[in-house]
Amino acid sequence: MTYSPFRDSTEILNSGDSLSERLTEDGYLFIRGLIPRNDVLQVRSGLLNIANEYGWFDKNSPVTEGVANTSLDATTLRSATMAAVNRMWCDEEVHRLRIHPNVLSLFERIFKEPALTHPKFTLRHFFPNLSPTDSHQDHVHVGGVKFCSMWVPLGDCPVDQGVLAIASKSHKEGVLKAKFAGMGIIDHPSWEWVTGTVNAGDVLIFTNTTVHKSLPNLTNKIRLSFDGRYQPASLPIANVSVIPAADSGCVEWEDVYKNWSSTSGQYYWKQFNLEVMGLDAMHYEVDYPVAFGRAKAGDNAMRDMLLRLI
Ligand SMILES: O=C(O)CCC(=O)C(=O)O
């Protein structure tokens, strides 16, 4: 497969009309330096320090490099360091980064109304030995009516460190058939796959039906990133998006916030009169029996993917 470079939308950052036109045309926006680089690096440093307490990194390299401790396989890592993931997900600085004023004002320009940041988000730690994220559309997993995803690497992410790739113009056909559970969409000849280095502070924004995936992480470093979802506050949101992620280990938001040093950034969505709807699980759950069967029969790529989905 060949990849073209991202179309850079930094120059049109201040024009809501141009941003929405481009989003409608390409299905994505790549914006450099939307979030101050140092804010991102500070969050990265906090998360690396937590992860380091749980032995994630190679002892012979500086923690700041995020070089993976290769003696931990994915299974050991998952069971032995769940506590690290719980703490990382609840980290207050990550939560505040998602609602950075530069981010909110960008989405308000695009939506032309107040922007709601979904309370739930995904924090990813992509180890070199894991399989990449297969191609999918977020609508299937997140539900709701209309939202954009924003992918933010927490540190510089070169192409070979598992960066995101996007199928430009793939958002126009609605929900597409996938191999299972919304994952693994067959390529279409009219799409142009785009990718490139995404540095700390840069963001990738795409619609809820834009097909995307990650490239393999061929380095010896862990790729940290988060993906947040943003929507016009007046539209319904799915119930699965207003609860803490399973990775947090928390059921209630109160538990997420219990070790925060400040209340800034807590319960921000309560300012809106949200209409909450159920998730239409039609596309999502239908293939699970097959997927689990394959994972149990020794398909490790399937197993890794399922572990990341649930
Ligand atoms: O970071 C990844 O590997 C996948 C991200 C993703 O699927 C998303 O941002 O919706």
Side-chain angles (χ1 to χ4, degrees), residues 12 76 90 184 226:
I12 57 168
T76 319
C90 295
F226 77 80

Side-chain angles (χ1 to χ4, degrees), residues 90-92 95-96 256-262 264-266:
C90 295
D91 181 87
E92 60 189 298
H95 285 252
R96 287 198 276 268
V256 171
Y257 299 148
K258 70 175 186 285
N259 293 322
W260 285 29
S261 62
S262 145
S264 164
Q266 296 185 1

